[in-house]
Amino acid sequence: MDSNVTSGGPVMKKWIVLLLFTCFAAGALLSLEPVSKWFLPTVEIVVLKPSDIQQTVQCTGKIVVEGQEEITLELPVVVGSVLVEEGDTVKKDQLLLTVDRDETLNYIYNMEDPVVDLSQLAEQPDSVPNEIRAPADGRVLSLGAGEGDAVLPDTALVTIAHADSLQIEANISEEMISDVRVGQRAVITGSGFKGREYGGVVSGVRSSAKQVNTTTGAVTVVGTVIAINDADEYLRPGYTANTEIITDTAEDRLVVPYETVSQDG
């Protein structure tokens, strides 16, 4: 009887130790993240929505004036006051400068070789204009005279670039020019008009290529013209413009976000 009790003591101790170890291990596991996270990958569901995919050609060029108008008169005049400066944006019929009519008549009568009929001028002194107005919306490119200056006939008093005549002249490499067509839409940005974006359209592609020198050597390019839509006072001739020409658009395509794609191994 005593021998059975003595032999069972060590066995009981083993069971107690095993039970305590099991409880300790279970508590440790419960205090950590779920075990499944150790072995199973994290899954994120992304809902794909149809979107348009655009192929583009990027180029850089200069803003230039395609159409401009010089304001001239058939009579000599003496400028009274100048109300605009070079670079100003003007509206059609906006007052640009005034003419000093009395000084103009005095100047004409004292010319050694008058370029007008003095008798007719004496009968119609109002034929001398007293103001010059803008013929169209645009930007003042240059002023041909200042206050008090005498200006001869057919001399440009003011030169105005029409508002719809700004365009970009850019060179596109021969590798990409085959994708460019007249009529394609373009998006225009630049550091000179930072934070603004303009629309445009390809209005011309030169019929011949040319070579230009770059920092990496000579390259073959084709001149391309992009007309600017809705140009405003923030665009100036001579600015550098970055242009992205949309050459093709695939509509309603499902696109997988780049950040959701991974590679094992």
Side-chain angles (χ1 to χ4, degrees):
M1 183 69 176
D2 292 339
S3 62
N4 289 337
V5 174
T6 302
S7 62
V11 175
M12 181 62 68
K13 290 181 179 179
K14 290 181 179 179
W15 281 107
I16 292 173
V17 172
L18 181 60
L19 179 61
L20 291 175
F21 178 79
T22 302
C23 293
F24 175 79
L29 291 176
L30 290 174
S31 65
L32 299 176
E33 294 183 354
V35 179
S36 60
K37 289 189 176 181
W38 298 355
F39 306 102
L40 300 179
T42 301
V43 177
E44 180 181 356
I45 298 176
V46 177
V47 179
L48 300 182
K49 296 181 180 180
S51 61
D52 296 343
I53 303 175
Q54 294 180 338
Q55 294 182 350
T56 62
V57 169
Q58 297 181 349
C59 58
T60 300
K62 292 290 185 180
I63 297 178
V64 299
V65 177
E66 187 274 333
Q68 61 187 45
E69 184 170 351
E70 293 182 344
I71 301 176
T72 61
L73 297 175
E74 296 179 354
L75 296 172
V77 294
V78 175
V79 177
S81 57
V82 179
L83 306 177
V84 293
E85 297 180 353
E86 292 183 357
D88 284 354
T89 299
V90 296
K91 296 293 184 181
K92 183 179 180 180
D93 295 327
Q94 179 177 332
L95 184 61
L96 304 178
L97 54 83
T98 62
V99 174
D100 189 327
R101 183 174 288 173
D102 292 337
E103 287 296 327
T104 296
L105 293 174
N106 184 58
Y107 173 72
I108 293 175
Y109 288 140
N110 286 284
M111 294 178 68
E112 294 184 2
D113 184 17
V115 292
V116 297
D117 187 335
L118 295 181
S119 60
Q120 184 179 0
L121 184 62
E123 295 176 358
Q124 299 177 336
D126 290 345
S127 60
V128 177
N130 58 7
E131 59 185 27
I132 304 297
R133 294 182 176 271
D137 294 352
R139 182 188 299 276
V140 178
L141 290 182
S142 63
L143 295 170
E147 184 175 344
D149 289 346
V151 182
L152 294 175
D154 299 324
T155 300
L157 289 166
V158 184
T159 303
I160 293 180
H162 292 174
D164 58 354
S165 67
L166 290 183
Q167 61 186 23
I168 299 169
E169 291 187 353
N171 292 323
I172 299 178
S173 68
E174 59 181 337
E175 292 83 5
M176 296 186 293
I177 193 63
S178 60
D179 295 329
V180 178
R181 300 283 186 276
V182 171
Q184 290 172 337
R185 294 183 297 112
V187 179
I188 301 162
T189 57
S191 58
F193 41 98
K194 191 176 298 182
R196 296 182 176 274
E197 184 178 285
Y198 297 85
V201 61
V202 178
S203 59
V205 178
R206 305 302 183 198
S207 58
S208 59
K210 61 182 179 180
Q211 279 199 333
V212 296
N213 294 320
T214 67
T215 56
T216 58
V219 295
T220 302
V221 298
V222 177
T224 305
V225 179
I226 301 97
I228 304 174
N229 301 332
D230 302 322
D232 56 23
E233 67 274 15
Y234 295 98
L235 299 179
R236 296 178 180 272
Y239 273 174
T240 299
N242 303 316
T243 305
E244 189 173 25
I245 301 172
I246 302 171
T247 59
D248 192 20
T249 301
E251 299 180 350
D252 296 331
R253 301 298 175 90
L254 295 178
V255 180
V256 178
Y258 178 80
E259 60 272 14
T260 64
V261 179
S262 63
Q263 182 176 354
D264 294 333

